[in-house]
Amino acid sequence: MKKIAVLTSGGDSPGMNAAVRAVVRKAIYNNIEVYGVYQGYQGLINDDIHKLELGSVGDTIQRGGTFLYSARCPEFKEPEVRQKGIANLRKHGIEGLVVIGGDGSYRGAQRISEECTEIQTVGIPGTIDNDINGTDFTIGFDTALNTIIESVDKIRDTASSHARTFIIEVMGRDCGDLALWAGLSVGAETIIVPEVETDIKEVAERIDHGIKRGKKHSIVMVAEGCMTGEACAQELSKYVNVDARVSVLGHIQRGGSPTGQDRVLASRLGGHAIDLLMQGETARGVGIRDNVLRSTPFDEIFRADEHQFDYNIYELTKELSI
Ligand code: F6P
C-alpha cells in the first residue's frame, strides 16, 4: 500500500475533520501517500483530487464541518458515472480509498471495490444520526446530542416562564437515537421515535397529568423520522388544551466544534481504517463496540435487522418522567 485517498460524503458531521486528520497522519507515519478527494463522490468524478501533507490537516481537529467539503451525489449510483470516478483513482495510482460518511456513502465504496478489485475500500461512520450498523456510535452524534441539550436547556427557561409545552423536532433521518438520548438528557416528558409506536392520546394524558401535579412546563422530543413537530402539535391539540410551541432545531445540530468524545472516536476510527488497509482488508466499515475497535463487512452493515436502538434507555426515560 503506497497511495490512498480519503473523502467525506453525505451530510457533514462534527469530527469529520478529526477523522481525516487521523487518516492522513497515520498513513504518512507509515510511509503511505495520501490524496484528498474534495466534495465527496462529486470530486471523484470531477478529478478534484489533491495530495495532502502533514500540514494540510494542521489546526483542523477542533473544527466542525469538513475541510474536504461534502456532497450528496446520487449520480454515483449510475455505473458509467462510477467508472469515471474509478478511472480518476487509477490515474492517480490510488490503491486504497477511505470514505467517511453514512451508509449511502458506504454503498458507493462497496460498488468501487466490486467493480475495481485492485482498489481496497474502508468506511468510517461519520453522521450525526447514529444509524450505522456495526458501531455503537458514529462520529458527530455526541456533538449533535450536546447541541440539542444546550438548545433545549435554553428553551426550558422560556417554557417554564410561560408554563408552556414545547415540542422539539430533532434530526436523525429514520433513526430515533438523537431524540432518545437528548430526551433522557433534558428530562423530556415523552420521546416520539420511529422505532416505537406512540399513542398521541397517551402523550396528551401524560402532559395533562403533569400540569395537574404542578409541573411548570413539558418537553416533547420528536424524531423527524417519525413525524414533524407541527404534526405532533396538531395531534396533541385534539386531546389536551395546552399552550404548545414547536421548535425545529434544524441544521444547527450538524455544526460546531466536535466534543472530546467525537474527537477521540474520530481519531481512533481514522487510525483503525489505516490499519485495515495495511492488512489488505477491503469493503469493510470500522466501528466501536463496548469501547473496542472492530470492523464489519459492508454487506453485514447494510442488513437492516441489526439496528441498535436501546429500548432500555427508552423505558428508563418513561420511568423517570412520571
Ligand atoms: O444524515 C444527516 C442529516 O442531517 C439528517 O439528520 C437529516 O435528515 C438530513 O441529513 C438533512 O439533509 P440535508 O442537509 O441534505 O437537508
Side-chain angles (χ1 to χ4, degrees):
M1 177 70 45
K2 287 274 167 281
K3 270 189 199 180
I4 64 162
V6 55
L7 62 80
T8 50
S9 162
D12 64 347
S13 70
M16 277 185 162
N17 283 326
V20 174
R21 173 182 178 271
V23 166
V24 171
R25 295 251 165 115
K26 176 133 182 183
I28 294 176
Y29 180 83
N30 287 286
N31 300 314
I32 299 170
E33 275 182 35
V34 191
Y35 287 73
V37 182
Y38 288 74
Q39 274 207 310
Y41 288 108
Q42 194 59 53
L44 203 56
I45 302 163
N46 298 342
D47 195 18
D48 200 354
I49 302 173
H50 307 274
K51 193 163 180 224
L52 298 174
E53 309 291 352
L54 287 176
S56 315
V57 290
D59 197 24
T60 59
I61 195 167
Q62 80 283 17
R63 295 188 196 282
T66 160
F67 82 92
L68 286 179
Y69 305 109
S70 192
R72 300 201 188 276
C73 182
E75 308 92 279
F76 206 72
K77 289 187 188 138
E78 309 298 326
E80 332 63 81
V81 175
R82 258 196 322 272
Q83 281 310 312
K84 274 177 90 176
I86 290 173
N88 286 329
L89 287 172
R90 284 193 173 121
K91 189 176 95 184
H92 291 276
I94 305 296
E95 299 158 288
L97 176 67
V98 178
V99 169
I100 305 170
D103 74 352
S105 310
Y106 282 14
R107 284 177 201 275
Q110 191 194 35
R111 291 274 172 272
I112 291 174
S113 50
E114 280 166 5
E115 291 163 16
C116 177
T117 45
E118 76 267 22
I119 298 177
Q120 293 166 234
T121 57
V122 171
I124 298 180
T127 165
I128 63 165
D129 299 340
N130 209 36
D131 60 349
I132 302 186
N133 292 327
T135 189
D136 288 343
F137 296 106
T138 57
I139 298 164
F141 173 70
D142 186 63
T143 308
L145 171 63
N146 280 284
T147 300
I148 297 170
I149 293 169
E150 208 183 310
S151 308
V152 177
D153 285 350
K154 287 181 176 149
I155 289 170
R156 281 176 85 114
D157 290 344
T158 173
S160 290
S161 306
H162 291 266
R164 276 176 173 155
T165 293
F166 264 85
I167 295 151
I168 315 282
E169 181 190 316
V170 297
M171 281 186 169
R173 208 176 282 277
D174 300 322
C175 177
D177 280 15
L178 276 174
L180 174 70
W181 287 62
L184 175 62
S185 306
V186 303
E189 255 58 53
T190 303
I191 297 170
I192 302 179
V193 289
E195 292 84 352
V196 182
E197 206 171 313
T198 304
D199 178 354
I200 294 288
K201 191 163 173 247
E202 206 181 289
V203 175
E205 282 164 6
R206 282 172 86 87
I207 293 172
D208 201 36
H209 173 76
I211 292 169
K212 287 189 177 131
R213 80 160 173 83
K215 283 189 101 168
K216 294 283 176 292
H217 62 253
S218 319
I219 302 286
V220 177
M221 194 65 73
V222 187
E224 64 172 0
C226 199
M227 62 168 79
T228 64
E230 277 302 336
C232 178
Q234 271 178 21
E235 281 299 302
L236 276 175
S237 69
K238 291 181 188 162
Y239 305 105
V240 64
N241 184 21
V242 286
D243 189 15
R245 292 290 185 277
V246 177
S247 261
V248 181
L249 296 187
H251 285 78
I252 195 170
Q253 296 162 92
R254 285 237 299 261
S257 182
T259 57
Q261 194 156 310
D262 272 330
R263 295 180 199 198
V264 171
L265 180 66
S267 303
R268 292 179 74 188
L269 294 180
H272 194 47
I274 298 300
D275 287 336
L276 288 186
L277 289 177
M278 290 194 304
Q279 287 157 17
E281 296 286 355
T282 188
R284 298 181 84 87
V286 293
I288 194 155
R289 178 145 302 161
D290 299 328
N291 204 25
V292 176
L293 293 172
R294 68 204 296 267
S295 76
T296 311
F298 284 146
D299 280 339
E300 257 178 63
I301 289 176
F302 300 147
R303 252 176 249 148
D305 54 3
E306 228 199 80
H307 185 59
Q308 58 208 324
F309 186 80
D310 194 327
Y311 292 94
N312 292 328
I313 296 182
Y314 181 83
E315 283 309 317
L316 177 67
T317 306
K318 271 182 130 174
E319 287 162 9
L320 300 187
S321 65
I322 42 168

